[in-house]
Amino acid sequence: MSYLCGMKQRLTIIIIALLVTCRTMSQTTIKGTVTDGRKPLAGANVFIIGTVDGCLTDSLGCFAFTTGMTGELTLRTTFMGFDDHTLRVTPHGGQVTDLLITMHERPTSIDEVVVTASTYSFGKSDHFKTMDALDVVMAGNSCGDIVAALQALPGTQKVGEDGKLYVRGGESDECQTFVNGMHVLVPYTTNVENNAVRGRFSPFLFKGINFSLGGYGGEYGQALSSVLPMETTDVSAGDKLGVSASLVNWNIGGTKSFAASSLSFNADYTSMGFYNKLSPDRHDWTRPYRKLSGEAQYKADLSSSVVLKTYVGYDLTWVGQHIDGRRLSLSEHNIYANATIRTNIGRGYSVFAGIANSSVVSRIDDALALGDHYRNARNEVHLKAEVRKVYSPVLKMSVGVEDYLRHSAKHYDTSHYRLDYHLPAAHADAQLRVVPRLFVNLAARVEHANHDGWLLMPRATLSYVPNKRFQLSAMAGRYSQAAADDYLAMSAKRLAQGTADHVVVSMQYGTPEMLLRVEPYCKRYHHLPLLVNERYTADGYGSSRGMDVFFECHSLVRNLTATMSYSFNDSRRRYLDYAALRTPDFASRHNLRLTLKYALGKTIVGVAESYASARHYPVGDTPHYNSLDANITWLVSPKIIAYTSLSNILGRTNIFRYSADGTPVTASRDRFFYIGIFVSLKSNKAYDISCF
């Protein structure tokens, strides 16, 4: 029995050994290295198709694994951002060694690249996010105004006496605003002379703001310097209701959501009466500044591929002032409405169509002299249609047509005019990936203006995007804009459109912790309005060159965000009543803004320093502009936010400009204190004070 037991144990050991030997003899070892042709790729997945046999490459790009498969094998290698690599191998002697697998980077689709040259985008996740609606409301000294908040960016000039956007040495009228792709005739509220105006639109209305400082594509016209396209929010998934109050304005707004649509409203009342009593300023007001405004929008997803958006907004502004022995009285009605529809019709095609109407009626009594009367009514209808097609991962195109139908009537005592004209236009844009990291955008826009005939404006952008951190772009193009209605009427509509040739170079480097952008630029103006022998001609000209620098950092100190915006501008032009080529009154050579924002628990503290060099006038140069501002945001509860700010803490009396007789023009008050409370009565999100 002991002999039989011993034989059974030896037989078992022999069988196990034979099985192990057979298993070992049938295994194949596969070894090699994975590279991109220049350096090894760590973490690439190498495996045999149809099996689970495989492994990841190490830090040197090397891999080694065994398989029980025999005969010809199909080896697959995958790595994020690269095309899959397939290789057929046949083992010899139970092994495959010294494989060298070279991966090829997958070309970026034309839809995946985001060229940010000369554009600052807010509120969109696919851009470097530096500002959202809450930041606009709570930026130092912006008091909830989009325009004031954008003036913290490089390329903008500090023109405190009217508060409008002046970009890269251009007039304020050279910057045009678009809502959902449709033009806004007058995007500002009104005010008496030498007092800053505000933007008309609530920052909470928009999900995306793309402020382009120059070099924009063929879609946008009638803008010599820059465009401000804004996209309203999409259909709301839940109901909202919010209120806010401050020393100068009161607001209520809300949204009612339905199955596939939503209806929103917003009402706002602004009055400087109470504030003027608390803190009298330098002006003698007969009627304090007041503004009553309302907004509404309806959005609907008509189907999975059709989106409808409508918007209407109305502002009534009125103010009165004792000035030079006159009782100036001003009122203005401003209404804007648009409707757009966007649909995907298959095979890569999408269609956009929109209509917008802008109407502005202004009335001023004692405007320039005692007892005079000024009336001005302006209207614009903007029609637009566009077709876009994605042909392949390397090419997409768009073509569109539009028309601006304008009417203007002005009465001033015994003089008056009536003006009617339209500006039909067409454009075509093509975005092409030349090689995996090189992209080109070619555009052409044509416009027709009365006796001018058709004006052709080619535009091109070349961008090198090696990775998500770095971009290098060069842009060149021609842009045009019709002269202001007053000049057109005085020339019997014979003024040619003004043109500007842009050349911009943009270098940007960004990480999650910082963003650095440097942009030199040059603009040359032609056919600007020029007063010659008491008659306006299109013989004006000029140039503007300079460089913008923007830096934002989140990593210096924990919870601290620091930004620096610097602009150098050398602008010279001869236009309007300028007797010779000179620097425009509104232009300052150097503009600098430094900001710090520090989050401490539920409290956010911000400090901003703004500087602008002297502005040139025939009577002399103004002193430099300087203002130190501070603001504090307190997140009281998930539904309540308190905000306060103080502008010009040091109390410097800044001189904005000089009048013709040499009198300095200053702000109505040196300091401005703002405090506001924002309350969300019904919202699914914490600290969401958006009513739209």
Side-chain angles (χ1 to χ4, degrees):
M1 289 297 294
S2 61
Y3 172 76
L4 290 175
C5 290
M7 286 294 294
K8 185 183 291 186
Q9 291 174 348
R10 285 192 290 270
L11 184 59
T12 301
I13 293 172
I14 291 171
I15 292 173
I16 292 174
L18 288 172
L19 290 174
V20 171
T21 301
C22 292
R23 174 66 175 171
T24 303
M25 290 179 63
S26 65
Q27 282 188 330
T28 299
T29 301
I30 300 177
K31 297 181 180 180
T33 305
V34 178
T35 76
D36 65 356
R38 295 170 298 173
K39 62 181 184 298
L41 295 179
N45 186 20
V46 186
F47 62 95
I48 297 174
I49 293 179
T51 75
V52 295
D53 298 334
C55 67
L56 298 177
T57 58
D58 61 19
S59 60
L60 299 178
C62 299
F63 65 92
F65 64 93
T66 59
T67 178
M69 302 295 291
T70 60
E72 187 180 64
L73 306 176
T74 303
L75 204 63
R76 174 70 57 82
T77 306
T78 63
F79 190 73
M80 184 177 295
F82 288 76
D83 288 330
D84 293 350
H85 185 280
T86 302
L87 178 67
R88 293 183 180 275
V89 297
T90 302
H92 297 284
Q95 61 181 1
V96 178
T97 58
D98 299 327
L99 286 177
L100 179 60
I101 297 175
T102 302
M103 302 285 286
H104 296 284
E105 189 172 358
R106 181 186 304 119
T108 304
S109 168
I110 196 70
D111 283 334
E112 296 175 312
V113 67
V114 180
V115 177
T116 60
S118 209
T119 298
Y120 290 86
S121 300
F122 312 119
K124 290 190 174 182
S125 59
D126 57 351
H127 292 80
F128 189 91
K129 185 178 179 181
T130 58
M131 189 184 301
D132 57 21
L134 194 59
D135 293 325
V136 170
V137 169
M138 299 176 182
N141 204 27
S142 75
C143 300
D145 182 24
I146 291 177
V147 173
L150 291 175
Q151 290 172 354
L153 294 174
T156 60
Q157 307 259 225
K158 183 64 179 180
V159 186
E161 67 270 26
D162 67 15
K164 298 179 181 179
L165 280 173
Y166 291 76
V167 177
R168 290 179 172 172
E171 272 271 25
S172 62
D173 289 344
E174 295 176 18
C175 177
Q176 297 297 311
T177 300
F178 296 82
V179 173
N180 294 339
M182 306 307 297
H183 185 241
V184 182
L185 184 62
V186 180
Y188 304 102
T189 62
T190 190
N191 207 336
V192 296
E193 188 178 8
N194 298 324
N195 279 263
V197 300
R198 290 172 61 87
R200 291 192 56 215
F201 300 104
S202 165
F204 301 116
L205 175 67
F206 305 102
K207 69 173 182 179
I209 300 174
N210 296 295
F211 184 31
S212 178
L213 302 175
Y216 31 95
E219 177 184 359
Y220 298 110
Q222 291 301 301
L224 282 180
S225 284
S226 59
V227 292
L228 178 60
M230 301 187 287
E231 182 75 17
T232 58
T233 55
D234 296 325
V235 173
S236 177
D239 296 346
K240 297 181 180 181
L241 181 64
V243 296
S244 65
S246 72
L247 296 174
V248 296
N249 74 306
W250 298 264
N251 176 279
I252 182 171
T255 294
K256 177 63 179 177
S257 64
F258 306 98
S261 62
S262 60
L263 178 64
S264 304
F265 79 96
N266 186 61
D268 183 274
Y269 176 68
T270 300
S271 174
M272 292 298 298
F274 178 66
Y275 194 93
N276 288 342
K277 290 181 179 179
L278 289 178
S279 175
D281 63 8
R282 297 184 175 96
H283 295 315
D284 182 7
W285 302 103
T286 60
R287 188 167 54 188
Y289 175 89
R290 294 189 178 96
K291 179 174 73 75
L292 179 64
S293 62
E295 297 171 290
Q297 61 174 330
Y298 175 74
K299 299 160 291 187
D301 293 333
L302 301 181
S303 71
S304 60
S305 59
V306 181
V307 177
L308 170 70
K309 289 185 176 182
T310 64
Y311 168 83
V312 60
Y314 169 74
D315 293 330
L316 169 61
T317 308
W318 65 102
V319 62
Q321 180 186 19
H322 271 130
I323 180 171
D324 299 331
R326 296 175 283 126
R327 289 177 59 92
L328 183 146
S329 177
L330 181 152
S331 64
E332 181 177 274
H333 301 266
N334 191 335
I335 185 168
Y336 174 76
N338 73 25
T340 63
I341 189 166
R342 191 182 301 272
T343 177
N344 295 320
I345 58 177
R347 302 182 64 124
Y349 283 97
S350 63
V351 177
F352 170 88
I355 180 173
N357 183 85
S358 299
S359 296
V360 183
V361 179
S362 301
R363 172 176 177 168
I364 308 176
D365 296 322
D366 285 7
L368 299 176
L370 186 65
D372 67 5
H373 302 284
Y374 171 91
R375 305 289 184 269
N376 189 14
R378 300 174 62 191
N379 179 261
E380 177 189 81
V381 176
H382 183 205
L383 306 171
K384 184 176 181 180
E386 186 179 57
V387 178
R388 297 186 179 187
K389 164 71 170 175
V390 179
Y391 286 94
S392 70
V394 303
L395 175 65
K396 66 178 180 180
M397 296 185 65
S398 65
V399 294
V401 294
E402 62 186 319
D403 200 357
Y404 298 83
L405 293 85
R406 292 178 175 175
H407 164 80
S408 181
K410 180 177 178 179
H411 297 264
Y412 179 69
D413 283 353
T414 59
S415 64
H416 66 276
Y417 69 74
R418 181 185 178 91
L419 195 65
D420 293 281
Y421 63 100
H422 72 118
L423 300 165
H427 75 272
D429 283 77
Q431 297 183 48
L432 175 68
R433 187 189 72 212
V434 182
V435 294
R437 299 179 182 86
L438 191 65
F439 300 85
V440 63
N441 184 307
L442 300 175
R445 183 178 178 87
V446 291
E447 292 185 355
H448 187 275
N450 302 317
H451 69 285
D452 290 342
W454 289 96
L455 176 64
L456 175 64
M457 292 165 285
R459 304 169 186 180
T461 300
L462 183 66
S463 300
Y464 175 62
V465 189
N467 51 56
K468 292 185 177 181
R469 294 190 173 189
F470 180 73
Q471 286 192 21
L472 177 63
S473 299
M475 295 167 286
R478 170 160 290 187
Y479 303 84
S480 73
Q481 187 171 351
D485 288 348
D486 285 353
Y487 308 135
L488 278 177
M490 294 173 67
S491 68
K493 296 195 297 186
R494 299 197 62 82
L495 274 183
Q497 291 204 61
T499 62
D501 297 324
H502 293 203
V503 176
V504 184
V505 177
S506 177
M507 295 161 282
Q508 175 175 302
Y509 179 80
T511 70
E513 292 78 29
M514 60 84 71
L515 174 69
L516 173 65
R517 182 184 294 181
V518 180
E519 289 189 354
Y521 63 87
C522 179
K523 292 190 291 185
R524 293 195 177 277
Y525 292 93
H526 307 278
H527 309 301
L528 298 178
L530 178 65
L531 188 62
V532 179
N533 297 325
E534 299 184 355
R535 186 175 68 88
Y536 279 101
T537 70
D539 297 328
Y541 59 95
S543 66
S544 178
R545 60 176 68 91
M547 183 174 67
D548 298 334
V549 180
F550 180 77
F551 177 72
E552 181 174 80
C553 181
H554 303 267
S555 59
L556 292 176
V557 178
R558 186 179 180 184
N559 298 329
L560 177 70
T561 299
T563 64
M564 186 274 289
S565 299
Y566 169 72
S567 298
F568 168 78
N569 177 258
D570 179 17
S571 179
R572 298 174 66 80
R573 61 171 65 186
R574 187 183 179 208
Y575 81 136
L576 302 183
D577 59 352
Y578 287 16
L581 188 69
R582 67 180 178 89
T583 300
D585 298 343
F586 54 81
S588 50
R589 185 172 287 257
H590 303 279
N591 284 265
L592 174 68
R593 184 175 174 90
L594 304 172
T595 65
L596 296 173
K597 185 169 67 174
Y598 183 72
L600 183 64
K602 294 186 177 182
T603 302
I604 303 170
V605 180
V607 179
E609 164 65 23
S610 300
Y611 167 86
S613 59
R615 290 162 57 184
H616 305 287
Y617 288 85
V619 297
D621 295 348
T622 66
H624 70 270
Y625 172 90
N626 186 74
S627 180
L628 178 65
D629 311 324
N631 60 85
I632 299 175
T633 303
W634 180 27
L635 307 179
V636 182
S637 76
K639 292 184 178 295
I640 301 176
I641 300 175
Y643 171 79
T644 182
S645 68
L646 177 62
S647 65
N648 197 16
I649 295 173
L650 302 180
R652 175 186 173 86
T653 300
N654 287 300
I655 297 176
F656 295 133
R657 69 179 185 91
Y658 292 114
S659 58
D661 61 2
T663 303
V665 174
T666 65
S668 61
R669 49 173 55 86
D670 292 331
R671 296 186 180 93
F672 189 85
F673 177 72
Y674 179 88
I675 182 169
I677 306 294
F678 305 85
V679 181
S680 176
L681 301 177
K682 188 173 185 179
S683 177
N684 298 325
K685 297 180 180 179
Y687 307 114
D688 179 15
I689 58 176
S690 168
C691 301
F692 287 97

